[in-house]
Amino acid sequence: MVKISPSLMCMNLGKFEEQISCLNKKIDYYHIDIMDGHYVKNMTLSPWFIEQLNPYTSIPTDAHLMVTNPIDYVDQLLELNVEVISIHAEHLNGHAFRISELLKKHRKKMGVVLNPETPLNVIADFLHLIDIVTVMTVDPGFAGQTFVTESLEKVRQLKISREEQNLSFEIQIDGSCNEKTYKQMIDAGADILIVGKSGLFNLDENIENAVTMMEKNLTAAINL
């Protein structure tokens, strides 16, 4: 089964405890979008949010750094026991070997994020260091954007490269993961789907009902 990672910038923060309590029973990761208003023109969650989340869950967190200087956040996120630190390829380039060594020392995972326009050759020289490759199927920074189908070819190529090079990284998709796209994403080779408003939180006001609907949609897509 594909793994599920809810994007918590899309949750109802007014029902924080209720929603986290329900999700804790059902999901594999929590996806935390950290934006500084510079790398993308939006501001959402922060390391402070992870600090508030930690007492309520043992689910591993994946911090997606959409910030101008992501390397500056790494030590703070390690102190918060973040499981995966995901950095956009253009910012990880030049730091990948050092950051990989640091994260392995702390037994944490290094993620790299590819925008729709970012070619795979940008990460070719350090692909063997990566634990999770996140393929953006929307432009970064905002929820509810149009699905970029062209990004699925990148997922297919990553799957081929993983097999040819005998690597073990997981392929994660971020953007428009919902009942209309699940099958395409899974068929392309996705291991982890990041679900936001259209895939989870807007399905029903009641989080338990929303999770049930998400699971039914996912199962239907897998069985098609």
Side-chain angles (χ1 to χ4, degrees):
M1 287 289 290
V2 68
K3 296 179 182 178
I4 293 297
S5 181
S7 175
L8 295 189
M9 80 174 196
C10 299
M11 73 182 295
N12 184 341
L13 292 174
K15 298 181 178 179
F16 176 86
E17 289 190 44
E18 174 188 338
Q19 296 202 342
I20 294 300
S21 177
C22 175
L23 292 171
N24 281 340
K25 306 169 188 174
K26 297 289 185 175
I27 57 96
D28 302 284
Y29 288 98
Y30 282 122
H31 189 80
I32 313 295
D33 288 302
I34 298 176
M35 307 180 194
D36 63 357
H38 298 287
Y39 179 75
V40 292
K41 299 301 180 183
N42 195 12
M43 297 182 71
T44 52
L45 305 178
S46 70
W48 179 85
F49 177 84
I50 299 173
E51 183 178 352
Q52 303 307 304
L53 172 67
N54 280 344
Y56 294 92
T57 187
S58 59
I59 299 293
T61 49
D62 175 7
H64 177 184
L65 293 170
M66 285 176 273
V67 298
T68 302
N69 297 302
I71 306 304
D72 294 344
Y73 287 70
V74 171
D75 288 340
Q76 183 181 9
L77 293 173
L78 287 174
E79 289 178 5
L80 292 170
N81 200 35
V82 169
E83 179 69 15
V84 188
I85 298 178
S86 294
I87 299 172
H88 280 256
E90 61 270 29
H91 286 304
L92 188 55
N93 210 332
H95 304 275
F97 287 83
R98 177 172 59 86
I99 295 301
S100 173
E101 184 178 356
L102 175 63
L103 295 185
K104 285 180 179 177
K105 178 180 177 181
H106 287 82
R107 299 183 180 180
K108 302 301 181 184
K109 297 178 181 179
M110 183 165 77
V112 65
V113 185
L114 299 168
N115 288 333
E117 303 88 351
T118 306
L120 287 177
N121 61 15
V122 173
I123 64 171
D125 288 342
F126 56 86
L127 185 59
H128 61 289
L129 302 177
I130 301 299
D131 297 295
I132 297 179
V133 180
T134 299
V135 175
M136 298 292 298
T137 51
V138 297
D139 287 335
F142 296 89
Q145 297 183 73
T146 302
F147 176 49
V148 179
T149 57
E150 291 87 345
S151 292
L152 292 182
E153 181 57 28
K154 204 173 294 178
V155 175
R156 297 184 190 98
Q157 290 301 317
L158 281 166
K159 185 177 180 181
I160 291 170
S161 295
R162 181 173 62 189
E163 294 171 356
E164 290 180 344
Q165 299 179 45
N166 194 28
L167 300 177
S168 59
F169 62 82
E170 293 184 289
I171 303 169
Q172 178 169 251
I173 294 184
D174 187 358
S176 294
C177 297
N178 56 51
E179 62 177 324
K180 296 179 180 179
T181 60
Y182 285 153
K183 181 171 174 52
Q184 298 174 68
M185 293 176 172
I186 294 167
D187 287 349
D191 302 301
I192 308 169
L193 299 177
I194 297 170
V195 291
K197 291 183 178 180
S198 64
L200 175 60
F201 293 105
N202 279 1
L203 295 180
D204 195 281
E205 290 186 4
N206 180 284
I207 188 62
E208 292 188 2
N209 292 341
V211 169
T212 298
M213 293 175 68
M214 177 197 69
E215 291 177 329
K216 287 182 179 179
N217 292 337
L218 190 58
T219 299
I222 292 171
N223 292 331
L224 282 175

